Amino acid sequence: MKISNIDVSTYPNSEKIYVDGKLFPIKVAMRRIRQYPTVKIEDGQRVEYPNAPVTVYDTSGVYTDPAHTYDVNEGIPRLRESWIAERGDTEVLPDITSEYGRMRKADPSLDAIRFPHSYKPRRAAKGKKITQMDYARAGIITAEMEYVAIRENLDNEARGISTYITPEFVRQEIAAGRAVLPGNPNHPEAEPMIIGKAFAVKLNTNIGNSALSSGIEEEVAKAVWSCYWGGDTLMDLSTGDNIHETREWIIRNCPVPVGTVPIYQALEKVRGRVKDLTWEIYRDTLIEQAEQGVDYFTIHAGALREHAELIKERTTGCVSRGGSIMVQWATIHNQQSFLYEHFDEICEILAQYDVAISLGDGMRPGCTHDANDRSQFLELDVLGELTERAWAHGVQVLIEGPGHVPMQKIQENMDRQRQVCHEAPFYTLGPITTDIAPGYDHITSAIGAAIIGRLGTAMICYVTPKEHLALPTLEDVREGVIAYKIAAHAADLAKGFPGANVRDDALSKARYEFRWKDQFNLSLDPEKARRFYLESRRAAADADDRFCTMCGPNFCAMRISQNCEAQA
Amino acid sequence: MKISNIDVSTYPNSEKIYVDGKLFPIKVAMRRIRQYPTVKIEDGQRVEYPNAPVTVYDTSGVYTDPAHTYDVNEGIPRLRESWIAERGDTEVLPDITSEYGRMRKADPSLDAIRFPHSYKPRRAAKGKKITQMDYARAGIITAEMEYVAIRENLDNEARGISTYITPEFVRQEIAAGRAVLPGNPNHPEAEPMIIGKAFAVKLNTNIGNSALSSGIEEEVAKAVWSCYWGGDTLMDLSTGDNIHETREWIIRNCPVPVGTVPIYQALEKVRGRVKDLTWEIYRDTLIEQAEQGVDYFTIHAGALREHAELIKERTTGCVSRGGSIMVQWATIHNQQSFLYEHFDEICEILAQYDVAISLGDGMRPGCTHDANDRSQFLELDVLGELTERAWAHGVQVLIEGPGHVPMQKIQENMDRQRQVCHEAPFYTLGPITTDIAPGYDHITSAIGAAIIGRLGTAMICYVTPKEHLALPTLEDVREGVIAYKIAAHAADLAKGFPGANVRDDALSKARYEFRWKDQFNLSLDPEKARRFYLESRRAAADADDRFCTMCGPNFCAMRISQNCEAQA
């Protein structure tokens, strides 16, 4: 099978730049947006004042590098492969370890849908500790740590903006568990990034087919598309057919860390019968996915048998797929959740592949009525306990949270999480702040995400306009990502993240000076901004009028204001 | 000229209800959304449990009353005409007072675009004080006050939800200046509503043509459309041709209070030459518009000569049209603003028509960089002084605020406003919380609006996706209104407004029980929610599956969760 590239173009008037490391021979990708000069008439002469380019965080990988010829059937460059090999503490396995993975590999009927290239899995060598947390605790700064330090700072140094983010600072944050740097050696295509309160707020996107929809090509297109618009990590939540093969295509083409919820695939393996789930099937799934390169697993180990009673008090019960599966399993078998019981074994596996654990919020509230209730906070307490257990194995930890929370209850979520989960990074879905707007939940939740991001949440999980109604299309992915870029950036501004205001200030200056093209190019969605303007102008050629279509020339406040300045 | 009705349909499975007053023979309009029963199988039998209908605040006026035949060429019923007449403290004038209005009336070339009916203006009888504030201070509860008390409470009484909102409470809030009840007797078509911190957060929509676009039919359609979707008040910001006639069409068809910025029309009268503006032209414009029925005027009396210097410190100068006009006028003439100098005379005029004054924020920041600066807060101090002067005349006062404010600076805006403006209701544009998303400023600003609404802002002014780029189309109006309904409602939930959670809880219950139609019908935009669902289902007929297209049947958390409950 050959599939088609999705058409993502480069960004207008932008160039891909690569900043050299000082400690390691790394090249950190960023995007530089050029600006037009400010033109003034002085003494009857036209004088140009240059405007410095603006460097922005870039999640789009090689897809926006014109020097790279991209073909999804080849996958993207394996950036970190040599870094990992050179550390000499991993081994390349002769074959994949998981039974299921070997079965799929041996099945010729799958040849038609398989990714055309295969790689041997890599795992910690015997006795070696290879997670970024292990390195950080041992005082080792890795290439990945330097990469993210440079990446977070953009061009702050050149601008004279002081920052606290150094490779050593990154190391300390990871060592303390306050930040996560996803780093599965089997996903060397991923550009290093970091998730933590001290860093820029990140956003996760979800894609994935269900039994009812969507094929491999469509999911790969969504993955590329979400990175193009600004997704920092990507969760593949597929639950339909050919999950294994779909995931391979996604990972091999994904420049950002990939997460999954392994219980979904485990359930598919028992044909959707919760009763038939076993620890052994789940364990094999963990290994299967770790060797494909999944960077973090959502594991609902805090959803316990005890929750079956508690969720009866709720309006919407349990709305987490993973959480509801585990509670049902525990109820059917009258046993404690096997994820909780086998948690240390899970961590032992994950540590060998530096797969981070994202402790799932199986009891997140599914409506504002259920927010901050006993179910939710009991689970959070359990997640705090599990955090320490994971850290004991050197496994990096994220804590998943919110869902539907009215604004006045958001702060308590952040405060309790920080307290009981020992400052492990918080990773929240929204929260959605009112239940009454299906079709607009990217907005109801961007409100909550911006608020909780400002309070210290490290990563926010996007919500698309289709939430509660259907799976997102490409356009929905774009709308969801931009809404969450807005929330994340508004939070960065509010928390005073170093250099966060540079892009805002540049765009505002361009706006005031009627440099329309710069306004578009500096925006999160240049294509849409430009289209809205030109549709209204009904003039496709140029966009340098000194007024806009909202007010017309006589009523342009900025124009009048500039005249005032000239006269005063 | 005849213009066409815009096609607004009734809301699905809803009925218009009218609640009787107890003090006055009034009928308060609301919308009641019926629900389907919850169906359970008990002992093999199908059992239905009814779900109570949900009553919601309704701004759509007679447009959604099937008993009313609507024709924009006739205007809508003059609901308050008899209430006003019966108070006996106003007089009907033999002709319109303003010179400009008389000139337009006498011009036969305008017959073609004139609204087909005319009404004689009404004004306070000599020596009578007729503003709602005057009545409230005199201890009088008006029909309007009872109307809004009933309207704010919906069916709280029947639900046993305790509330503090009584007609007497309304009177006290208006008397204290903490709430505004717009009430120009020349706009008797408007259904009474109230703006104040103690009440549900309201949202204002802006429409209006510019020199570059849009005709009368289009603007009337936008007005009706914005009320249909939930706009609580409507500002006509027209700056193009035939402002006077356009306004007449809008007011005669508008069931919500209408606001304007009279300086816009004054400037048109001097052909856009700021220098030529005079107090006399402005004064005539106030009277012209007051007699047409404008309910509140934005007056930028706090934008002073002193601001010309201050705005030089800014990145985007002055972005308020009215503010920039006044500062330029003051600079040109080297005089203080005539709005400031003649403020008492303005108030004397407004008091005669119970036109509320919305003290304009001419110095609102136009970018996050300029937020909370000296220009802005100097003006706010002036607005505080003007508030007391207006109140001395019995004129109701709103204070306009924000614009672009990063999240960490929002609280200071609310705190200072409350302090220096003596608790007059705050009415804010957004604020927009980051500048980098033109094309999505309904979202950047809904974040700020929700936050400031929670803190006590009484009314938020919507922003559409076209902000900064173009004038909104009908679809943009809808997107903007819904984004702001979300912000306002999220704020109501967060401030614990009595009964605010009823709709959320009902929708959540419907969602959990897979009553898809109820979920759609209870939502802010039933048409879109339903369309998103059905497009994905590709089945136009029915929507009662017990799972959705996001996860498919095996992975439906709510379904699994219900099974758990049944088993536990």
Side-chain angles (χ1 to χ4, degrees):
Chain A
M1 172 167 92
K2 285 265 185 182
I3 68 173
S4 304
N5 287 345
I6 176 173
D7 180 27
V8 292
S9 56
T10 54
Y11 278 95
N13 214 24
S14 293
E15 61 189 319
K16 198 93 180 178
I17 61 167
Y18 293 93
V19 178
D20 291 330
K22 289 175 182 165
L23 308 176
F24 294 90
I26 55 177
K27 291 186 172 299
V28 181
M30 300 176 186
R31 177 160 66 97
R32 182 182 280 162
I33 307 169
R34 289 182 296 268
Q35 295 196 79
Y36 293 94
T38 299
V39 177
K40 295 190 176 178
I41 306 299
E42 293 177 347
D43 300 330
Q45 300 290 311
R46 179 190 156 94
V47 188
E48 290 194 355
Y49 294 90
N51 288 294
V54 174
T55 305
V56 298
Y57 197 101
D58 185 2
T59 58
S60 62
V62 293
Y63 296 106
T64 53
D65 185 346
H68 178 78
T69 311
Y70 124 72
D71 176 356
V72 287
N73 302 288
E74 293 298 316
I76 58 175
R78 294 168 70 83
L79 173 72
R80 291 167 56 237
E81 195 159 49
S82 62
W83 312 357
I84 295 158
E86 281 164 20
R87 287 198 281 258
D89 52 4
T90 51
E91 56 180 354
V92 176
L93 304 178
D95 195 4
I96 53 183
T97 311
S98 83
E99 271 183 49
Y100 184 82
R102 283 203 295 262
M103 189 186 82
R104 297 295 286 194
K105 190 177 168 189
D107 184 344
S109 78
L110 297 170
D111 288 350
I113 60 163
R114 225 188 296 278
F115 183 72
H117 305 274
S118 74
Y119 300 96
K120 292 199 187 310
R122 191 182 277 275
R123 186 173 73 184
K126 202 152 181 87
K128 296 292 182 188
K129 290 174 159 294
I130 63 137
T131 74
Q132 294 288 325
M133 185 177 224
D134 292 326
Y135 298 136
R137 284 169 168 176
I140 298 166
I141 292 172
T142 61
E144 288 87 345
M145 295 177 200
E146 188 188 23
Y147 192 105
V148 301
I150 294 169
R151 193 173 193 186
E152 294 280 319
N153 279 316
L154 301 171
D155 58 356
N156 281 346
E157 192 181 330
R159 289 181 180 271
I161 296 170
S162 74
T163 181
Y164 50 82
I165 300 174
T166 61
E168 170 59 17
F169 177 81
V170 169
R171 185 197 66 73
Q172 289 171 15
E173 290 295 293
I174 296 170
R178 284 191 297 268
V180 166
L181 196 168
N184 187 336
N186 295 303
H187 185 201
E189 297 91 346
E191 296 174 355
M193 54 79 69
I194 193 159
I195 304 159
K197 182 186 166 196
F199 305 98
V201 175
K202 302 303 185 297
L203 79 94
N204 177 73
T205 63
N206 294 330
I207 61 161
N209 60 348
S210 76
L212 301 173
S213 72
S214 186
I216 288 175
E217 184 165 315
E218 191 176 338
E219 295 309 313
V220 173
K222 279 185 199 164
V224 174
W225 187 243
S226 77
C227 295
Y228 176 79
W229 287 111
D232 290 289
T233 62
L234 175 82
M235 290 197 79
D236 173 14
L237 303 184
S238 292
T239 57
D241 291 334
N242 306 316
I243 299 183
H244 180 87
E245 289 70 28
T246 305
R247 187 186 309 121
E248 188 72 24
W249 281 94
I250 291 170
I251 293 174
R252 298 287 75 84
N253 285 288
C254 193
V256 305
V258 172
T260 63
V261 188
I263 198 79
Y264 295 174
Q265 190 183 4
L267 188 65
E268 292 289 349
K269 291 176 181 174
V270 296
R271 295 192 174 76
R273 288 191 296 261
V274 171
K275 185 170 76 64
D276 296 347
L277 279 170
T278 65
W279 159 242
E280 289 70 27
I281 289 169
Y282 186 79
R283 183 180 178 282
D284 193 67
T285 306
L286 292 181
I287 296 169
E288 170 203 343
Q289 297 195 9
E291 293 190 351
Q292 284 187 295
V294 175
D295 296 280
Y296 57 102
F297 289 147
T298 291
I299 301 184
H300 298 90
L304 302 182
R305 180 168 48 168
E306 289 75 6
H307 280 111
E309 268 306 307
L310 289 177
I311 60 175
K312 290 185 189 171
E313 299 168 6
R314 293 184 143 186
T315 295
T316 54
C318 169
V319 296
S320 150
R321 291 188 274 177
S324 63
I325 291 164
M326 290 316 301
V327 173
Q328 186 175 30
W329 185 91
T331 303
I332 292 170
H333 293 281
N334 197 24
Q335 286 180 7
Q336 192 48 284
S337 151
F338 61 79
L339 299 179
Y340 182 82
E341 293 295 318
H342 290 272
F343 191 72
D344 288 295
E345 207 175 334
I346 290 171
C347 292
E348 284 165 20
I349 295 166
L350 269 51
Q352 294 183 291
Y353 301 96
D354 196 5
V355 177
I357 188 165
S358 187
L359 286 167
D361 54 340
M363 296 303 143
R364 68 169 176 271
C367 62
T368 51
H369 177 272
D370 294 345
N372 297 18
D373 74 349
R374 287 203 299 163
S375 285
Q376 187 190 342
F377 286 146
L378 167 65
E379 182 183 47
L380 190 64
D381 291 342
V382 178
L383 301 189
E385 173 207 325
L386 297 174
T387 299
E388 293 190 301
R389 284 166 65 183
W391 284 350
H393 293 275
V395 172
Q396 304 188 83
V397 176
L398 297 166
I399 307 292
E400 296 186 10
H404 295 234
V405 183
M407 283 194 286
Q408 83 279 17
K409 293 189 176 178
I410 291 176
Q411 173 96 46
E412 186 186 6
N413 275 275
M414 189 70 234
D415 291 347
R416 287 182 80 129
Q417 189 274 344
R418 190 173 296 143
Q419 189 190 344
V420 306
C421 295
H422 319 288
E423 300 195 75
F426 207 17
Y427 162 31
T428 66
L429 184 83
I432 283 170
T433 52
T434 163
D435 306 315
I436 66 172
Y440 297 84
D441 279 323
H442 59 313
I443 301 177
T444 62
S445 68
I447 293 168
I451 293 171
I452 206 163
R454 180 193 171 194
L455 296 174
T457 286
M459 184 154 78
I460 49 184
C461 181
Y462 91 158
V463 171
T464 78
K466 291 282 168 64
E467 183 75 16
H468 298 116
L469 300 169
L471 283 173
T473 62
L474 281 180
E475 269 311 295
D476 297 321
V477 168
R478 174 180 177 169
E479 292 290 319
V481 171
I482 300 289
Y484 272 67
K485 287 292 282 183
I486 289 167
H489 187 74
D492 285 342
L493 281 180
K495 69 185 195 182
F497 186 71
N501 57 311
V502 168
R503 190 174 185 175
D504 293 76
D505 294 349
L507 191 146
S508 298
K509 183 168 185 280
R511 182 175 277 158
Y512 191 62
E513 294 173 355
F514 302 104
R515 283 183 282 116
W516 287 97
K517 292 173 195 161
D518 287 338
Q519 186 186 157
F520 307 150
N521 296 342
L522 288 163
S523 75
L524 290 179
D525 188 343
E527 187 280 324
K528 187 185 270 191
R530 185 168 184 276
R531 172 160 43 89
F532 278 4
Y533 179 85
L534 290 180
E535 276 172 6
S536 175
R537 288 289 295 153
R538 291 180 184 84
D542 211 53
D544 275 331
D545 301 311
R546 295 184 67 75
F547 58 88
C548 75
T549 47
M550 296 184 73
C551 310
N554 283 346
F555 283 89
C556 177
M558 297 202 294
R559 192 161 110 143
I560 296 171
S561 176
Q562 286 171 23
N563 292 343
C564 285
E565 289 181 41
Q567 288 160 355
Chain B
M1 174 167 91
K2 284 264 186 185
I3 69 174
S4 303
N5 287 346
I6 178 174
D7 179 27
V8 292
S9 56
T10 55
Y11 277 95
N13 215 24
S14 293
E15 61 188 320
K16 197 93 182 177
I17 60 166
Y18 294 92
V19 178
D20 291 331
K22 290 175 182 165
L23 307 176
F24 294 90
I26 56 176
K27 291 185 172 298
V28 181
M30 299 176 187
R31 177 159 67 96
R32 182 182 279 164
I33 307 168
R34 289 183 294 268
Q35 293 197 80
Y36 293 94
T38 299
V39 177
K40 294 189 176 178
I41 306 298
E42 293 176 348
D43 301 329
Q45 300 290 309
R46 179 191 156 95
V47 187
E48 291 194 355
Y49 295 90
N51 289 294
V54 174
T55 304
V56 298
Y57 196 101
D58 186 2
T59 58
S60 62
V62 292
Y63 295 108
T64 54
D65 185 346
H68 177 79
T69 311
Y70 125 73
D71 176 355
V72 288
N73 302 287
E74 294 298 317
I76 58 176
R78 294 168 69 83
L79 173 72
R80 293 167 54 239
E81 196 159 47
S82 62
W83 312 356
I84 295 159
E86 280 163 21
R87 286 199 280 259
D89 52 5
T90 51
E91 56 181 354
V92 176
L93 304 178
D95 194 4
I96 54 184
T97 312
S98 83
E99 272 182 47
Y100 184 82
R102 284 203 293 261
M103 188 186 83
R104 297 296 285 194
K105 192 177 168 191
D107 183 344
S109 78
L110 297 171
D111 288 351
I113 59 165
R114 228 188 294 277
F115 183 72
H117 304 274
S118 75
Y119 300 95
K120 292 198 188 311
R122 189 182 279 276
R123 187 173 72 184
K126 202 153 181 85
K128 296 292 181 186
K129 291 173 159 293
I130 63 135
T131 74
Q132 294 289 325
M133 186 177 223
D134 291 326
Y135 298 136
R137 285 169 167 175
I140 298 166
I141 291 172
T142 60
E144 288 88 343
M145 295 177 200
E146 188 188 24
Y147 192 104
V148 301
I150 294 170
R151 194 173 192 185
E152 295 280 321
N153 280 318
L154 301 172
D155 58 357
N156 281 345
E157 192 182 331
R159 289 180 180 273
I161 295 170
S162 74
T163 181
Y164 50 81
I165 300 172
T166 61
E168 169 59 15
F169 177 81
V170 169
R171 186 197 66 73
Q172 288 171 15
E173 290 294 294
I174 296 170
R178 283 192 297 268
V180 166
L181 196 169
N184 187 337
N186 295 302
H187 186 200
E189 298 91 347
E191 295 173 357
M193 54 79 70
I194 192 160
I195 304 159
K197 182 187 166 194
F199 305 97
V201 175
K202 302 303 186 296
L203 79 94
N204 176 73
T205 63
N206 293 331
I207 61 161
N209 60 348
S210 75
L212 301 173
S213 71
S214 188
I216 288 175
E217 184 163 315
E218 191 176 337
E219 295 309 314
V220 173
K222 279 185 199 164
V224 174
W225 187 243
S226 77
C227 295
Y228 176 78
W229 288 110
D232 291 289
T233 61
L234 175 84
M235 290 197 79
D236 173 14
L237 303 183
S238 293
T239 57
D241 292 334
N242 305 316
I243 299 183
H244 181 88
E245 289 69 27
T246 305
R247 186 186 309 120
E248 187 73 24
W249 279 94
I250 290 171
I251 292 173
R252 300 285 75 83
N253 284 288
C254 193
V256 305
V258 171
T260 62
V261 188
I263 198 80
Y264 295 174
Q265 190 184 4
L267 188 65
E268 292 289 349
K269 291 176 182 174
V270 296
R271 296 193 174 77
R273 287 190 298 259
V274 171
K275 186 170 74 66
D276 296 346
L277 279 170
T278 64
W279 158 244
E280 288 69 28
I281 289 168
Y282 186 80
R283 183 180 178 283
D284 192 67
T285 307
L286 292 182
I287 295 169
E288 170 202 344
Q289 297 195 9
E291 293 190 353
Q292 283 187 297
V294 175
D295 297 280
Y296 57 103
F297 289 148
T298 291
I299 300 183
H300 297 89
L304 302 182
R305 179 167 51 168
E306 290 74 6
H307 279 111
E309 269 307 306
L310 290 177
I311 60 175
K312 290 185 188 172
E313 299 168 6
R314 293 184 143 188
T315 295
T316 54
C318 170
V319 297
S320 151
R321 291 189 273 178
S324 63
I325 292 165
M326 290 317 300
V327 173
Q328 188 176 29
W329 186 92
T331 303
I332 293 170
H333 292 281
N334 197 25
Q335 286 182 6
Q336 191 50 284
S337 151
F338 62 77
L339 299 179
Y340 183 81
E341 294 294 318
H342 291 272
F343 191 72
D344 287 294
E345 206 173 335
I346 290 172
C347 292
E348 283 166 20
I349 296 166
L350 270 51
Q352 294 181 293
Y353 301 96
D354 196 6
V355 177
I357 188 165
S358 187
L359 285 168
D361 53 340
M363 297 301 143
R364 69 171 174 271
C367 61
T368 52
H369 177 273
D370 295 344
N372 297 20
D373 72 350
R374 287 203 297 161
S375 284
Q376 188 190 342
F377 286 146
L378 166 65
E379 181 183 47
L380 191 63
D381 290 342
V382 178
L383 301 189
E385 172 206 326
L386 297 175
T387 299
E388 292 189 302
R389 283 166 66 183
W391 284 349
H393 294 274
V395 173
Q396 304 189 81
V397 176
L398 297 166
I399 307 292
E400 296 186 11
H404 296 235
V405 184
M407 283 194 286
Q408 83 279 14
K409 293 189 176 178
I410 291 175
Q411 173 96 45
E412 186 186 5
N413 275 276
M414 189 70 236
D415 291 346
R416 287 182 79 129
Q417 188 274 344
R418 190 172 297 144
Q419 189 190 344
V420 306
C421 296
H422 320 288
E423 300 193 75
F426 207 18
Y427 162 31
T428 67
L429 184 82
I432 284 171
T433 53
T434 163
D435 306 316
I436 67 172
Y440 297 84
D441 279 323
H442 60 314
I443 300 178
T444 62
S445 68
I447 293 168
I451 293 171
I452 207 163
R454 179 193 170 194
L455 296 175
T457 286
M459 184 154 77
I460 49 183
C461 180
Y462 91 156
V463 171
T464 78
K466 291 282 168 65
E467 183 75 15
H468 299 118
L469 300 169
L471 283 173
T473 61
L474 280 180
E475 268 313 292
D476 297 321
V477 169
R478 174 178 176 170
E479 292 290 318
V481 171
I482 300 290
Y484 272 67
K485 287 292 283 184
I486 288 167
H489 187 73
D492 285 340
L493 281 179
K495 69 185 195 182
F497 186 71
N501 58 310
V502 168
R503 189 173 184 177
D504 293 77
D505 294 348
L507 190 146
S508 298
K509 183 168 185 280
R511 182 175 276 157
Y512 191 62
E513 293 173 356
F514 301 104
R515 283 183 281 118
W516 288 98
K517 292 172 194 161
D518 288 337
Q519 186 186 158
F520 307 150
N521 297 342
L522 288 163
S523 75
L524 290 178
D525 187 344
E527 188 280 325
K528 185 186 273 193
R530 185 168 185 276
R531 171 159 46 87
F532 278 4
Y533 179 85
L534 290 179
E535 274 172 6
S536 176
R537 288 291 295 153
R538 290 178 183 85
D542 211 50
D544 275 330
D545 301 311
R546 295 185 66 74
F547 57 88
C548 74
T549 48
M550 297 184 73
C551 308
N554 283 346
F555 282 89
C556 177
M558 296 201 296
R559 193 162 110 143
I560 296 172
S561 176
Q562 286 172 23
N563 293 343
C564 284
E565 289 181 43
Q567 288 160 356

